[in-house]
Amino acid sequence: MWYSWVYDQFILSNSLAYSIKDCNAYIAIPANTKKLMVSPKQRSAADQAIPHQLTRSQKSRVKIPKKISIGVLLALLSCLILSFQNIIIYVIFNQSWLFGLQNVQVGGFVAPGFGNSLLILWLKMLVVVPLMAFVARLLYPSVWRDIRRCALSGDLPLFGQVVASSFFLFLSQVLIYLSLGLIQPGVAITIFFIYPIVTVILTGLLFGNRTPLFPSDLFSPHLVRQHLVRALVIVGVVGGALLISLPSLAAKQPYSALGVIAAAGAGLSFAVYIILTQVSARKLNPIPYSFINFTLILVFSSLSLSFPLDQSWRFFVEPTQRLAVYFTCLGLGVITLVSYLVQNLAIRLIGGRPASIIGSTAPVLTTVLAVAIIQQGLGLQEIIGLFLVTLGVVTLSMEKLRHQSWKRSQ
């Protein structure tokens, strides 16, 4: 690894420096300059400093891989928590046998639908927003000052971008909840993970190529390789999404096709949210930005539930199931905040791009948890689709990381 090479050079340079000191101590000099000679005590002190310095360097050399390994574990834990949250949302809408035990049946508290998806999101945000107000202060002490400065800045484009990004995140959440209620968790999350490809395509269409028309490095091996990899990734992810969608589309179960469409719509909405966030987050720290997002999601879900929707779009909870729904949404809110905290720590340790690479394993983790907890497995065709989408998204994230390193080296 690059950091290993840097520390090797650091240790070598220290060793060479101390070797030069030792050589100077033993150089023969005239007798009239004996006072300038280094005494044996001084030489022994210098000799003793060598292992001390090497030990300190070795300690710092050990700390960085340890720091990275902790960051990787935290990123995996955050992804695992989010995958577990997907299973909980599925269980809220569908009765399931827990761990395959015939006498342990859970879930099915509300019927899957748009109104009930809004209700679950609203109840969850009622927990997340107050807790986030407390946690944001711990993570970033200047959170309220930044929010106040943003509110008083009069920057209308920034206001519009923040509100729009929050709306598309809200829409994405509602649609993925709807999808999780209608189709298997592994299928829904895999289709949702088309969003990195949609983000790349939309970014190219909206912002275009900001480089010159005929740049000097247009046909450089790196750029040619980058475009080729992106083309193959797009083909692979789209093909994988189609493979995993076809069984649900062809199924005779009601609303399966709606679940696929909702998952794809969630991925598209999330891609728009990412683009708007990339544009507006440059003017605002991510933590106050996230708090504003969560608060606006609570506002949007509150307004949506208060609208006079059609009967088929309204929420409805049986009186006997209300307590179960309340406690489950309380758990969802706590899980969401814990996942946010763990992910924030992981990004601080290993950076955003490596954390996103690990986050790309969410479809696989969701599928594994679905099989283990509620016995919801996938067929061979769906597994191939899952593999293609996950491989494509991981490859795209790694290529972006490689491209960033290449740009820094230019």
Side-chain angles (χ1 to χ4, degrees):
M1 297 294 289
W2 64 269
Y3 51 80
S4 177
W5 180 87
V6 170
Y7 274 95
D8 287 340
Q9 301 305 311
F10 178 74
I11 293 170
L12 179 60
S13 63
N14 278 332
S15 301
L16 288 174
Y18 282 109
S19 298
I20 291 172
K21 289 181 181 179
D22 294 339
C23 290
N24 290 336
Y26 287 99
I27 293 175
I29 57 175
N32 58 356
T33 58
K34 287 183 178 179
K35 293 181 179 180
L36 299 176
M37 293 180 63
V38 180
S39 67
K41 290 183 179 180
Q42 290 174 328
R43 287 201 304 271
S44 62
D47 292 338
Q48 291 174 2
I50 297 174
H52 174 66
Q53 293 294 331
L54 289 176
T55 302
R56 288 178 60 186
S57 300
Q58 289 171 351
K59 285 181 179 179
S60 59
R61 188 177 178 182
V62 170
K63 284 180 182 177
I64 286 188
K66 184 177 180 181
K67 176 182 175 181
I68 292 176
S69 61
I70 293 174
V72 170
L73 289 175
L74 288 175
L76 278 172
L77 178 60
S78 173
C79 189
L80 187 65
I81 294 172
L82 284 175
S83 300
F84 182 64
Q85 178 182 261
N86 297 329
I87 304 301
I88 294 177
I89 295 170
Y90 175 86
V91 169
I92 290 175
F93 293 112
N94 299 275
Q95 285 189 344
S96 306
W97 300 107
L98 199 61
F99 301 109
L101 301 175
Q102 297 299 320
N103 56 345
V104 183
Q105 191 176 27
V106 295
F109 306 133
V110 294
F114 184 78
N116 287 335
S117 299
L118 276 172
L119 177 65
I120 299 303
L121 178 61
W122 178 70
L123 290 172
K124 187 184 83 168
M125 299 314 296
L126 282 177
V127 179
V128 171
V129 172
L131 290 178
M132 183 64 182
F134 173 74
V135 171
R137 175 70 174 159
L138 297 178
L139 294 176
Y140 185 64
S142 302
V143 58
W144 301 117
R145 184 188 64 189
D146 284 11
I147 292 176
R148 183 167 55 251
R149 184 173 55 193
C150 176
L152 299 176
S153 66
D155 191 343
L156 293 180
L158 177 60
F159 293 161
Q161 290 162 2
V162 172
V163 172
S165 67
S166 301
F167 173 77
F168 280 102
L169 180 59
F170 156 74
L171 181 61
S172 175
Q173 291 286 289
V174 174
L175 290 176
I176 196 62
Y177 284 17
L178 176 61
S179 178
L180 286 168
L182 297 173
I183 57 179
Q184 295 184 39
V187 176
I189 300 302
T190 302
I191 298 172
F192 170 77
F193 261 76
I194 63 172
Y195 77 82
I197 305 303
V198 178
T199 303
V200 171
I201 296 173
L202 288 180
T203 301
L205 292 176
L206 294 174
F207 302 106
N209 188 5
R210 297 184 179 182
T211 59
L213 182 60
F214 296 103
S216 57
D217 57 353
L218 178 62
F219 297 104
S220 66
H222 174 80
L223 291 180
V224 171
R225 177 183 178 279
Q226 182 193 24
H227 295 314
L228 179 61
V229 168
R230 287 193 174 186
L232 291 175
V233 165
I234 291 173
V235 172
V237 170
V238 172
L242 287 175
L243 278 176
I244 202 169
S245 303
L246 287 176
S248 298
L249 293 173
K252 296 181 180 179
Q253 297 178 356
Y255 304 117
S256 294
L258 178 60
V260 172
I261 296 171
L268 177 60
S269 301
F270 196 74
V272 177
Y273 156 75
I274 289 176
I275 294 173
L276 290 170
T277 300
Q278 289 173 347
V279 173
S280 57
R282 300 169 187 171
K283 302 179 182 180
L284 195 61
N285 184 277
I287 293 178
Y289 194 93
S290 297
F291 179 74
I292 294 173
N293 280 154
F294 290 159
T295 304
L296 288 177
I297 288 175
L298 177 60
V299 172
F300 288 139
S301 55
S302 301
L303 292 175
S304 300
L305 288 172
S306 63
F307 287 158
L309 300 174
D310 183 76
Q311 184 65 35
S312 59
W313 286 54
R314 294 179 187 175
F315 68 91
F316 176 75
V317 184
E318 293 285 350
T320 56
Q321 302 289 354
R322 289 177 183 174
L323 194 60
V325 171
Y326 296 155
F327 276 107
T328 306
C329 291
L330 174 64
L332 278 178
V334 174
I335 289 173
T336 300
L337 194 64
V338 170
S339 175
Y340 177 82
L341 288 172
V342 174
Q343 187 181 40
N344 189 277
L345 292 174
I347 291 174
R348 292 186 180 187
L349 291 174
I350 62 176
R353 188 65 64 186
S356 70
I357 294 174
I358 297 171
S360 303
T361 61
V364 175
L365 290 177
T366 301
T367 302
V368 171
L369 288 179
V371 172
I373 298 175
I374 55 175
Q375 309 298 302
Q376 288 288 336
L378 300 179
L380 178 60
Q381 179 179 330
E382 293 169 320
I383 292 174
I384 295 173
L386 168 66
F387 173 76
L388 288 175
V389 172
T390 304
L391 179 63
V393 174
V394 170
T395 303
L396 182 64
S397 298
M398 293 181 68
E399 184 59 30
K400 287 181 179 179
L401 183 62
R402 180 187 178 92
H403 182 64
Q404 287 180 350
S405 301
W406 176 79
K407 287 180 67 176
R408 284 194 297 264
S409 66
Q410 297 303 303

